[in-house]
């Protein structure tokens, strides 16, 4: 059995886990090699829910932030609310995210997305916290804003752009994280990007309950499935899967500033 699995991006507050999130997490923690889990959040209420979950187990951590698709009915004091939540719970909230830009669906408000993105990047700078970046169909604008806030530690999660863009992101000092997409048969673009990411800048994630790797596509994803991503990375990088898990576990600890024996 594999060990040292760190799922650096999950959504155990999602409705798909409403009946069994904690029991499932306990099972995969005790029996399937999942050592740590980072619950990424999409709005303020989700951040509160994730914090409640994280407070129940020492192997669960969370972020706090507002996803670019969740900007309806945004409170005027949202930055102050996020900051207060983080400052009062710094032992559990280890990053700001997921934040960024998403121009995928019709009707998006690009100007508002950019404003909220910048405000949260500024908060990350103020609090000296890493950021979890979500970017879909918004490559140029995302890079422009990231360049405005150089020096902030960040990860581009669920990476979907080209290997050329990956090089630009790496130049900013960012980590890049891959999901189960790298196990798909048509994942040539993702694999080409994986090839240019050095091991010390690589993290693994599920984005569960979505993005289940092969051979689990169509099933609800959970953190225990990360071993499949590790096997694919090992194949590409000429390593053993456990080496990949050990390296990405340490990368996750360093990135989120988590102290573990």
């Amino acid at each position: 059995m594999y060990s040292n699995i760190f799922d650096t991006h999950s959504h155990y507050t999602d409705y798909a886990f409403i009946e069994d999130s904690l029991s499932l997490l306990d099972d995969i923690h005790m029996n399937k090699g999942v050592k740590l889990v980072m619950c990424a959040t999409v709005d303020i209420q989700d951040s509160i829910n994730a914090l409640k979950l994280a407070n129940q187990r020492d192997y669960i951590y969370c972020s706090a932030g507002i996803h670019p698709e969740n900007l309806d009915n945004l409170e005027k004091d949202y930055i102050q609310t996020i900051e207060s939540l983080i400052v009062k719970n710094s032992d559990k909230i280890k990053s700001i995210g997921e934040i960024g830009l998403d121009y995928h669906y019709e009707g998006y408000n690009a100007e508002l997305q950019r404003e909220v993105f910048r405000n949260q990047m500024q908060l990350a700078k103020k609090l000296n916290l890493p950021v979890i970046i979500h970017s879909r169909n918004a490559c140029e604008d995302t890079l422009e804003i990231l360049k405005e806030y150089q020096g902030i530690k960040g990860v581009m999660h669920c990476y979907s752009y080209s290997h050329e863009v990956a090089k630009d992101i790496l130049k900013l000092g960012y980590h890049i994280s891959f999901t189960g997409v790298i196990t798909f048969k048509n994942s040539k673009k993702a694999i080409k990007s994986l090839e240019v990411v050095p091991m010390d800048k690589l993290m693994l994630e599920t984005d569960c309950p979505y993005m289940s790797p092969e051979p689990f596509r169509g099933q609800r994803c959970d953190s225990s499935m990360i071993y499949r991503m590790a096997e694919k990375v090992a194949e590409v990088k000429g390593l053993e899967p456990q080496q990949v898990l050990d390296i990405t576990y340490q990368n996750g600890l360093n990135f989120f500033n988590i102290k573990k024996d």
Side-chain angles (χ1 to χ4, degrees):
M1 184 184 78
Y2 294 122
S3 61
N4 274 353
I5 291 173
F6 188 172
D7 187 350
T8 60
H9 194 109
S10 62
H11 294 281
Y12 285 103
T13 52
D14 187 272
Y15 186 79
F17 296 110
I18 194 167
E19 293 183 355
D20 65 345
S21 59
L22 205 54
S23 60
L24 169 65
L25 282 161
D26 281 344
D27 176 54
I28 61 179
H29 176 63
M30 291 184 289
N31 302 313
K32 296 185 179 180
V34 177
K35 198 164 184 179
L36 291 176
V37 169
M38 172 60 62
C39 290
T41 60
V42 298
D43 58 35
I44 289 172
Q45 185 57 55
D46 191 39
S47 301
I48 293 168
N49 294 343
L51 177 62
K52 288 179 182 177
L53 183 63
N55 277 332
Q56 295 181 71
R57 296 293 187 270
D58 62 1
Y59 62 87
I60 305 174
Y61 293 88
C62 66
S63 66
I66 300 174
H67 188 287
E69 289 183 314
N70 289 34
L71 306 186
D72 293 340
N73 304 313
L74 200 61
E75 299 289 341
K76 288 184 178 180
D77 61 348
Y78 67 92
I79 286 295
Q80 291 85 351
T81 301
I82 295 170
E83 180 175 4
S84 176
L85 193 64
I86 292 170
V87 170
K88 291 176 182 176
N89 300 279
S90 58
D91 59 325
K92 279 296 184 178
I93 301 178
K94 294 295 185 179
S95 60
I96 293 177
E98 56 186 283
I99 64 176
L101 303 174
D102 194 316
Y103 299 167
H104 181 68
Y105 294 109
E106 290 185 10
Y108 62 86
N109 185 333
E111 184 177 354
L112 180 60
Q113 285 194 22
R114 291 192 292 267
E115 176 188 335
V116 174
F117 186 14
R118 285 188 171 98
N119 288 343
Q120 291 182 99
M121 290 293 287
Q122 188 63 42
L123 180 61
K125 184 177 181 179
K126 177 181 179 180
L127 299 180
N128 192 29
L129 279 178
V131 290
I132 300 170
I133 303 298
H134 171 101
S135 181
R136 182 163 59 163
N137 295 2
C139 183
E140 289 186 12
D141 285 358
T142 301
L143 282 173
E144 178 185 334
I145 292 174
L146 295 185
K147 288 173 182 177
E148 292 173 10
Y149 294 92
Q150 293 194 47
I152 293 177
K153 186 162 59 172
V155 58
M156 185 71 74
H157 110 91
C158 191
Y159 189 74
S160 62
Y161 294 131
S162 70
H163 68 285
E164 290 94 345
V165 173
K167 291 177 182 178
D168 290 335
I169 292 166
L170 291 166
K171 286 176 184 176
L172 294 172
Y174 273 59
H175 286 62
I176 291 179
S177 181
F178 293 93
T179 64
V181 168
I182 60 173
T183 69
F184 299 172
K185 289 180 180 179
N186 61 346
S187 64
K188 291 180 181 179
K189 182 180 175 183
I191 295 300
K192 200 165 184 181
S193 296
L194 172 60
E195 289 173 350
V196 307
V197 180
M199 286 303 298
D200 65 344
K201 290 295 183 181
L202 176 70
M203 293 200 290
L204 299 180
E205 62 168 287
T206 56
D207 204 17
C208 67
Y210 316 105
M211 304 298 213
S212 297
E214 294 287 4
F216 305 108
R217 290 184 75 175
Q219 300 179 32
R220 181 181 69 170
C221 187
D222 69 61
S223 304
S224 68
M225 297 176 185
I226 275 189
Y227 80 90
R228 286 292 296 121
M229 286 80 106
E231 289 175 344
K232 176 56 70 171
V233 172
E235 179 186 317
V236 171
K237 298 290 189 181
L239 299 169
E240 293 298 321
Q242 188 59 58
Q243 287 179 285
V244 173
L245 291 171
D246 293 342
I247 292 168
T248 53
Y249 173 77
Q250 192 61 51
N251 290 348
L253 291 183
N254 295 340
F255 180 83
F256 292 111
N257 194 27
I258 294 172
K259 309 299 182 187
K260 289 290 181 183
D261 297 330

